Amino acid sequence: MHKRILPYTTAQKDLSLQQKIGQLFMPAVFINDTEEEVAKMEQLIHDHHVGALCFFHSRASAATNFEGKKKVVHNEKSYDRLKTLIERYQKAAQQPLLIAIDAEWGLAMRIENTPQYPYAITLGALTNNLDLIEQVGQHIGLDCKEAGIHWNLSPVVDINSNPENPVIGYRSFGDSKGEVFSKAGAYLKGLASSGTLNSIKHFPGHGDTATDSHLGLPVIDKSLQELQESELYPFQQLIQKGVDSVMVGHLLLPQLDSEEPSTTSSKIITDLLRNTLGFDGVVISDALNMHAVSQRYPEKGKLEATAFAAGMDMLCFSENVAEGITEILNTATEAEIEQSFKRIWQLKEKAFSHSKDTSPTKEPSGLNRLLAQNTLTELHGKAEEVSKIKSGAFLNLSVNNNIQNRFSVKIEEDLGQKPWDLTKDKATVETLLEKHQNVVLSIFPPAVKPKNNFGFENEVLDFIKYIIAQKNVLIYLFGNPYALDIMGLLPTSNAVLVYQDFSEFQEEAFQHFIGKLAAKGKLPVQLKTFQP
């Protein structure tokens, strides 16, 4: 941090109204940008007194690449590049920048070769282990601080009540409002201990939708009372405990506002979030380039000004900074601008004055191993079959999807059962299946999101369904538990949810397989096959 933050009273006097509006803008910046693009951003920061930046991996990733047509290029040196760019952008700024990133499960969400921690859905499987989630929050916060990042735009506190949700799903702690609240609270406590700012999202609740707001506008057709009984509960409870910011999602709630999506709705931001829930901290938008809202406002700067008028303080991923500043200057009152500027500046003071220097109690790998030991979940429809499969001759099958399969290799090393990959050894597997009734099937889904059947090719999925229908199968799933719902499981099927494909999770799954580790996890969502 090359510059000291001015006290608010000094900044209030020293900055012009136009400069104060600039502080409300958080354009996106990209680790893998060209020198020309970096120089252009440096100029924008300097000329318009931009207040914050949100880092993404590249223009082909995340919210910038809705249709997924651009190839994301792997960059081994992303982390070093991130630190270099933060330094350059801070130098270009006349006032210190708040640096933000989405690091829900660690910097690895955006940056290669950085520590990755489990997805929220995995943490949702923990029972009475909030201290482990707190440690995850602290680790992630310390990783952010080390990189020069002040603001982790997480956690997700949406209740994932719709299995078809294409964008929340594995990013949510589960489908129970109480569990989401308590687990998000533990994560926030850990983040706070590191001195990293937080943002609970996506207000007023993005869980019960089957539409991806990157592409379209999800509709949540619920009354205020229905929302208060579910979606709003974690937000309300966490706001009362104290949070740095609330991110507003792009959602249409016709029973609250039939005209405007939440991003530009004063009924949702000012009336509900500010007045009803009593939140007086920073309200930040979800990415303003997302199609759910960007296509509604073709005139540059109009979306930013409308969101600000509705009660938004920080305009994330604005692609029209100059026009947005002009539009707000022309349409907003000085009092409105001062109010948002004060909130942002006080957040900066908090971020830049935080000197607490805590150290993590464990290495990332040690923490991940502990999490693996406490999240493994048994879904045994016919438990008596499991011991028969393990004790007799079985086929060691897998669907690896280019993941290094330590689990199947350990089975071979310790039990002598050669591993076979369904996708690479199909003809051999078909022959072997004629001789084996018992199968241990480890599955590594190609994708974590449900789009296009989690990335499974139809032929592979059909083969999995055939094996499940014909044989005694014990599945170990190293991925999103919702993937089980597309595999044709029967109520009598036996599965173990491992949730992650990390080496630590694979090794602990093997310990479970040989009976040396009890499954302590609880499924945090409902699956069609395994209804309680």
Side-chain angles (χ1 to χ4, degrees):
M1 293 177 281
H2 68 292
K3 300 185 183 85
R4 289 180 69 83
I5 190 85
L6 295 171
Y8 166 67
T9 49
T10 308
Q12 188 186 25
K13 287 183 285 188
D14 286 5
L15 273 67
S16 70
L17 206 57
Q18 188 162 345
Q19 290 169 345
K20 287 173 182 175
I21 298 170
Q23 291 294 304
L24 314 181
F25 280 76
M26 181 191 273
V29 286
F30 307 93
I31 293 162
N32 290 294
D33 261 355
T34 63
E35 178 55 35
E36 182 188 0
E37 287 161 336
V38 171
K40 217 188 310 186
M41 181 54 66
E42 287 174 319
Q43 198 67 50
L44 183 79
I45 291 165
H46 181 272
D47 292 351
H48 296 289
H49 290 261
V50 165
L53 299 175
C54 187
F55 268 90
F56 289 84
H57 179 267
S58 61
R59 292 175 186 266
S61 67
T64 56
N65 187 20
F66 314 112
E67 290 82 17
K69 291 172 185 169
K70 300 172 193 165
K71 186 172 170 54
V72 178
V73 179
H74 191 82
N75 179 357
E76 289 292 324
K77 296 182 178 175
S78 283
Y79 183 74
D80 294 337
R81 172 74 168 163
L82 167 74
K83 293 183 85 163
T84 301
L85 286 178
I86 289 174
E87 195 175 329
R88 283 184 63 174
Y89 291 142
Q90 288 288 17
K91 278 183 184 167
Q94 297 183 49
Q95 304 296 338
L97 292 160
L98 272 178
I99 306 295
I101 200 166
D102 290 303
E104 294 164 22
W105 54 87
L107 293 177
M109 184 168 169
R110 296 282 182 248
I111 307 161
E112 298 98 329
N113 300 324
T114 54
Q116 181 173 351
Y117 303 91
Y119 300 129
I121 199 168
T122 310
L123 301 179
L126 288 166
T127 57
N128 304 315
N129 287 98
L130 293 180
D131 61 311
L132 288 178
I133 300 177
E134 189 179 328
Q135 287 181 51
V136 170
Q138 185 192 59
H139 272 259
I140 292 171
L142 291 170
D143 291 345
C144 286
K145 279 195 81 177
E146 178 66 28
I149 292 162
H150 314 105
W151 199 354
N152 181 4
L153 303 178
S154 72
V156 168
V157 301
D158 302 315
I159 301 163
N160 199 63
S161 48
N162 189 333
E164 305 298 318
N165 198 313
V167 69
I168 303 301
Y170 67 102
R171 298 166 63 195
S172 163
F173 291 105
D175 59 16
S176 156
K177 65 181 182 182
E179 289 290 304
V180 169
F181 160 58
S182 64
K183 283 169 179 169
Y187 181 101
L188 287 164
K189 191 177 175 186
L191 263 188
S193 74
S194 74
T196 302
L197 303 174
N198 60 61
S199 190
I200 57 174
K201 60 189 184 185
H202 306 80
F203 187 84
H206 202 319
D208 193 7
T209 168
T211 303
D212 184 344
S213 51
H214 293 96
L215 301 168
L217 183 61
V219 178
I220 311 280
D221 194 8
K222 295 184 179 183
S223 67
L224 180 57
Q225 185 181 341
E226 288 174 305
L227 289 169
Q228 284 172 330
E229 287 170 2
S230 54
E231 278 84 353
L232 290 176
Y233 178 82
F235 289 99
Q236 188 163 21
Q237 296 298 316
L238 293 168
I239 285 168
Q240 286 173 8
K241 282 177 163 281
V243 293
D244 295 314
S245 64
V246 175
M247 180 182 284
V248 175
H250 307 312
L251 307 159
L252 186 68
L253 294 98
Q255 296 198 45
L256 272 62
D257 189 336
S258 58
E259 302 289 319
E260 293 286 337
S262 45
T263 322
T264 50
S265 169
S266 61
K267 291 176 182 173
I268 290 170
I269 299 173
T270 300
D271 296 350
L272 178 56
L273 179 54
R274 292 274 188 227
N275 300 338
T276 304
L277 300 190
F279 181 63
D280 194 38
V282 168
V283 178
I284 178 173
S285 71
D286 204 347
L288 291 178
N289 74 324
M290 288 163 66
H291 288 182
V293 288
S294 62
Q295 293 182 339
R296 292 169 66 96
Y297 290 89
E299 190 181 334
K300 290 183 177 183
K302 279 283 185 193
L303 171 57
E304 288 81 356
T306 311
F308 178 77
M312 202 76 76
D313 297 309
M314 182 60 86
L315 301 158
C316 177
F317 214 135
S318 166
E319 294 184 317
N320 308 298
V321 173
E323 298 88 347
I325 290 171
T326 302
E327 194 70 27
I328 291 171
L329 194 61
N330 292 337
T331 55
T333 67
E334 187 171 339
E336 288 168 338
I337 295 164
E338 287 288 354
Q339 191 177 37
S340 285
F341 169 71
K342 183 178 182 180
R343 289 192 188 106
I344 297 297
W345 203 266
Q346 287 176 338
L347 200 62
K348 284 194 169 188
E349 287 182 310
K350 180 177 179 180
F352 283 85
S353 67
H354 199 292
S355 58
K356 193 186 295 183
D357 187 24
T358 48
S359 298
T361 53
K362 296 178 186 67
E363 286 298 305
S365 180
L367 179 55
N368 279 335
R369 188 171 298 282
L370 263 177
L371 290 160
Q373 289 166 357
N374 286 280
T375 51
L376 245 70
T377 307
E378 288 177 350
L379 300 177
H380 289 167
K382 201 171 181 184
E384 60 270 22
E385 290 290 340
V386 175
S387 55
K388 284 185 194 173
I389 293 170
K390 289 181 179 182
S391 60
F394 61 83
L395 196 56
N396 181 10
L397 273 191
S398 66
V399 182
N400 288 0
N401 293 300
N402 298 317
I403 295 291
Q404 189 177 10
N405 187 343
R406 294 276 306 130
F407 176 76
S408 291
V409 168
K410 285 291 288 177
I411 288 178
E412 181 182 28
E413 287 173 355
D414 285 44
L415 305 174
Q417 304 284 9
K418 180 177 168 61
W420 299 95
D421 188 337
L422 222 64
T423 53
K424 294 173 184 166
D425 313 306
K426 189 169 183 290
T428 309
V429 167
E430 284 175 337
T431 304
L432 288 167
L433 279 170
E434 292 173 12
K435 303 170 188 172
H436 291 84
Q437 186 57 27
N438 296 333
V439 176
V440 175
L441 178 60
S442 53
I443 301 176
F444 297 77
V448 72
K449 293 183 182 179
K451 187 180 177 185
N452 299 326
N453 288 328
F454 294 90
F456 286 107
E457 292 178 8
N458 289 337
E459 187 182 7
V460 173
L461 201 53
D462 287 344
F463 202 2
I464 291 171
K465 289 177 181 175
Y466 165 78
I467 294 167
I468 288 169
Q470 299 296 322
K471 304 292 178 180
N472 299 328
V473 182
L474 173 58
I475 295 170
Y476 276 77
L477 182 73
F478 297 86
N480 190 332
Y482 283 119
L484 289 178
D485 276 342
I486 63 166
M487 295 179 186
L489 268 66
L490 309 166
T492 53
S493 293
N494 293 300
V496 178
L497 290 175
V498 192
Y499 302 99
Q500 307 286 156
D501 60 18
F502 306 170
S503 59
E504 298 89 353
F505 278 74
Q506 292 194 47
E507 287 160 12
E508 295 307 319
F510 176 73
Q511 292 302 309
H512 172 267
F513 179 75
I514 61 174
K516 290 188 176 177
L517 176 69
K520 299 172 186 171
K522 181 186 175 190
L523 183 65
V525 293
Q526 283 195 25
L527 301 180
K528 292 172 193 167
T529 309
F530 298 95
Q531 291 292 343

